[in-house]
mmCIF file of all heavy atoms in Angstrom:
data_model
loop_
_atom_site.group_PDB
_atom_site.id
_atom_site.type_symbol
_atom_site.label_atom_id
_atom_site.label_comp_id
_atom_site.label_asym_id
_atom_site.label_seq_id
_atom_site.Cartn_x
_atom_site.Cartn_y
_atom_site.Cartn_z
ATOM 1 N N VAL S 273 147.626 111.141 183.639
ATOM 2 C CA VAL S 273 147.844 109.768 183.186
ATOM 3 C C VAL S 273 149.336 109.475 183.052
ATOM 4 O O VAL S 273 149.807 108.384 183.404
ATOM 5 C CB VAL S 273 147.113 109.529 181.843
ATOM 6 C CG1 VAL S 273 147.478 108.165 181.270
ATOM 7 C CG2 VAL S 273 145.602 109.626 182.020
ATOM 8 N N ASN S 274 150.091 110.454 182.533
ATOM 9 C CA ASN S 274 151.528 110.247 182.312
ATOM 10 C C ASN S 274 152.269 109.898 183.603
ATOM 11 O O ASN S 274 153.336 109.272 183.561
ATOM 12 C CB ASN S 274 152.145 111.496 181.685
ATOM 13 C CG ASN S 274 151.795 111.644 180.214
ATOM 14 O OD1 ASN S 274 151.475 110.664 179.542
ATOM 15 N ND2 ASN S 274 151.849 112.869 179.714
ATOM 16 N N ARG S 275 151.737 110.309 184.741
ATOM 17 C CA ARG S 275 152.396 110.003 186.019
ATOM 18 C C ARG S 275 152.439 108.502 186.303
ATOM 19 O O ARG S 275 153.236 108.045 187.107
ATOM 20 C CB ARG S 275 151.662 110.695 187.171
ATOM 21 C CG ARG S 275 151.652 112.213 187.109
ATOM 22 C CD ARG S 275 150.842 112.760 188.274
ATOM 23 N NE ARG S 275 150.684 114.208 188.217
ATOM 24 C CZ ARG S 275 149.939 114.912 189.075
ATOM 25 N NH1 ARG S 275 149.307 114.283 190.069
ATOM 26 N NH2 ARG S 275 149.834 116.230 188.956
ATOM 27 N N HIS S 276 151.552 107.768 185.629
ATOM 28 C CA HIS S 276 151.436 106.339 185.918
ATOM 29 C C HIS S 276 152.217 105.478 184.929
ATOM 30 O O HIS S 276 152.018 104.252 184.894
ATOM 31 C CB HIS S 276 149.955 105.941 185.930
ATOM 32 C CG HIS S 276 149.166 106.640 186.995
ATOM 33 N ND1 HIS S 276 149.042 106.155 188.276
ATOM 34 C CD2 HIS S 276 148.500 107.825 186.975
ATOM 35 C CE1 HIS S 276 148.312 107.010 189.007
ATOM 36 N NE2 HIS S 276 147.960 108.023 188.232
ATOM 37 N N GLY S 277 153.087 106.109 184.117
ATOM 38 C CA GLY S 277 153.990 105.343 183.281
ATOM 39 C C GLY S 277 153.525 105.176 181.851
ATOM 40 O O GLY S 277 152.385 105.479 181.489
ATOM 41 N N VAL S 278 154.450 104.669 181.034
ATOM 42 C CA VAL S 278 154.206 104.524 179.603
ATOM 43 C C VAL S 278 153.081 103.525 179.331
ATOM 44 O O VAL S 278 152.279 103.722 178.414
ATOM 45 C CB VAL S 278 155.497 104.100 178.877
ATOM 46 C CG1 VAL S 278 155.215 103.747 177.419
ATOM 47 C CG2 VAL S 278 156.537 105.206 178.945
ATOM 48 N N GLU S 279 152.987 102.439 180.108
ATOM 49 C CA GLU S 279 151.965 101.426 179.857
ATOM 50 C C GLU S 279 150.560 102.002 180.027
ATOM 51 O O GLU S 279 149.678 101.776 179.189
ATOM 52 C CB GLU S 279 152.173 100.233 180.791
ATOM 53 C CG GLU S 279 153.431 99.435 180.482
ATOM 54 C CD GLU S 279 153.631 98.289 181.452
ATOM 55 O OE1 GLU S 279 152.780 98.139 182.380
ATOM 56 O OE2 GLU S 279 154.625 97.556 181.309
ATOM 57 N N THR S 280 150.355 102.752 181.107
ATOM 58 C CA THR S 280 149.046 103.371 181.323
ATOM 59 C C THR S 280 148.776 104.445 180.280
ATOM 60 O O THR S 280 147.643 104.583 179.794
ATOM 61 C CB THR S 280 148.965 103.969 182.741
ATOM 62 O OG1 THR S 280 149.200 102.950 183.697
ATOM 63 C CG2 THR S 280 147.598 104.594 182.988
ATOM 64 N N SER S 281 149.800 105.209 179.904
ATOM 65 C CA SER S 281 149.632 106.241 178.878
ATOM 66 C C SER S 281 149.257 105.619 177.539
ATOM 67 O O SER S 281 148.385 106.125 176.825
ATOM 68 C CB SER S 281 150.917 107.053 178.728
ATOM 69 O OG SER S 281 151.221 107.757 179.908
ATOM 70 N N ALA S 282 149.911 104.508 177.182
ATOM 71 C CA ALA S 282 149.585 103.837 175.933
ATOM 72 C C ALA S 282 148.168 103.264 175.979
ATOM 73 O O ALA S 282 147.431 103.304 174.979
ATOM 74 C CB ALA S 282 150.591 102.726 175.652
ATOM 75 N N ALA S 283 147.765 102.725 177.132
ATOM 76 C CA ALA S 283 146.400 102.203 177.282
ATOM 77 C C ALA S 283 145.375 103.316 177.121
ATOM 78 O O ALA S 283 144.358 103.152 176.439
ATOM 79 C CB ALA S 283 146.249 101.539 178.651
ATOM 80 N N TYR S 284 145.649 104.441 177.738
ATOM 81 C CA TYR S 284 144.757 105.596 177.632
ATOM 82 C C TYR S 284 144.672 106.063 176.178
ATOM 83 O O TYR S 284 143.589 106.373 175.674
ATOM 84 C CB TYR S 284 145.279 106.712 178.528
ATOM 85 C CG TYR S 284 144.462 107.983 178.509
ATOM 86 C CD1 TYR S 284 143.293 108.086 179.256
ATOM 87 C CD2 TYR S 284 144.872 109.083 177.766
ATOM 88 C CE1 TYR S 284 142.548 109.256 179.255
ATOM 89 C CE2 TYR S 284 144.146 110.250 177.750
ATOM 90 C CZ TYR S 284 142.982 110.335 178.496
ATOM 91 O OH TYR S 284 142.252 111.503 178.478
ATOM 92 N N GLY S 285 145.824 106.109 175.480
ATOM 93 C CA GLY S 285 145.826 106.530 174.086
ATOM 94 C C GLY S 285 145.040 105.584 173.204
ATOM 95 O O GLY S 285 144.305 106.021 172.309
ATOM 96 N N ALA S 286 145.160 104.285 173.438
ATOM 97 C CA ALA S 286 144.416 103.305 172.649
ATOM 98 C C ALA S 286 142.909 103.422 172.910
ATOM 99 O O ALA S 286 142.090 103.389 171.973
ATOM 100 C CB ALA S 286 144.893 101.899 172.974
ATOM 101 N N ALA S 287 142.531 103.553 174.189
ATOM 102 C CA ALA S 287 141.105 103.711 174.507
ATOM 103 C C ALA S 287 140.548 104.991 173.907
ATOM 104 O O ALA S 287 139.419 105.017 173.396
ATOM 105 C CB ALA S 287 140.917 103.702 176.028
ATOM 106 N N ALA S 288 141.340 106.063 173.935
ATOM 107 C CA ALA S 288 140.889 107.340 173.388
ATOM 108 C C ALA S 288 140.637 107.258 171.887
ATOM 109 O O ALA S 288 139.810 108.000 171.355
ATOM 110 C CB ALA S 288 141.918 108.429 173.685
ATOM 111 N N GLN S 289 141.347 106.369 171.192
ATOM 112 C CA GLN S 289 141.074 106.172 169.772
ATOM 113 C C GLN S 289 139.630 105.716 169.557
ATOM 114 O O GLN S 289 138.961 106.138 168.620
ATOM 115 C CB GLN S 289 142.042 105.137 169.182
ATOM 116 C CG GLN S 289 143.469 105.614 169.061
ATOM 117 C CD GLN S 289 143.647 106.683 167.999
ATOM 118 O OE1 GLN S 289 142.904 106.730 167.017
ATOM 119 N NE2 GLN S 289 144.616 107.561 168.202
ATOM 120 N N LEU S 290 139.136 104.849 170.430
ATOM 121 C CA LEU S 290 137.751 104.385 170.314
ATOM 122 C C LEU S 290 136.758 105.462 170.721
ATOM 123 O O LEU S 290 135.651 105.524 170.178
ATOM 124 C CB LEU S 290 137.551 103.131 171.175
ATOM 125 C CG LEU S 290 138.386 101.914 170.792
ATOM 126 C CD1 LEU S 290 138.092 100.754 171.741
ATOM 127 C CD2 LEU S 290 138.111 101.487 169.359
ATOM 128 N N TRP S 291 137.131 106.303 171.661
ATOM 129 C CA TRP S 291 136.214 107.350 172.112
ATOM 130 C C TRP S 291 135.860 108.311 170.982
ATOM 131 O O TRP S 291 134.768 108.869 170.966
ATOM 132 C CB TRP S 291 136.827 108.120 173.279
ATOM 133 C CG TRP S 291 137.149 107.276 174.469
ATOM 134 C CD1 TRP S 291 136.718 105.991 174.709
ATOM 135 C CD2 TRP S 291 137.975 107.636 175.579
ATOM 136 N NE1 TRP S 291 137.229 105.533 175.897
ATOM 137 C CE2 TRP S 291 138.005 106.519 176.452
ATOM 138 C CE3 TRP S 291 138.688 108.770 175.926
ATOM 139 C CZ2 TRP S 291 138.722 106.528 177.642
ATOM 140 C CZ3 TRP S 291 139.408 108.779 177.110
ATOM 141 C CH2 TRP S 291 139.421 107.670 177.958
ATOM 142 N N THR S 292 136.786 108.517 170.064
ATOM 143 C CA THR S 292 136.476 109.420 168.957
ATOM 144 C C THR S 292 135.306 108.887 168.146
ATOM 145 O O THR S 292 134.461 109.660 167.685
ATOM 146 C CB THR S 292 137.698 109.591 168.047
ATOM 147 O OG1 THR S 292 138.099 108.320 167.522
ATOM 148 C CG2 THR S 292 138.868 110.193 168.801
#
Side-chain angles (χ1 to χ4, degrees):
V273 173
N274 285 337
R275 298 177 185 175
H276 298 272
V278 172
E279 291 178 359
T280 302
S281 296
Y284 179 80
Q289 289 291 331
L290 298 179
W291 301 346
T292 59

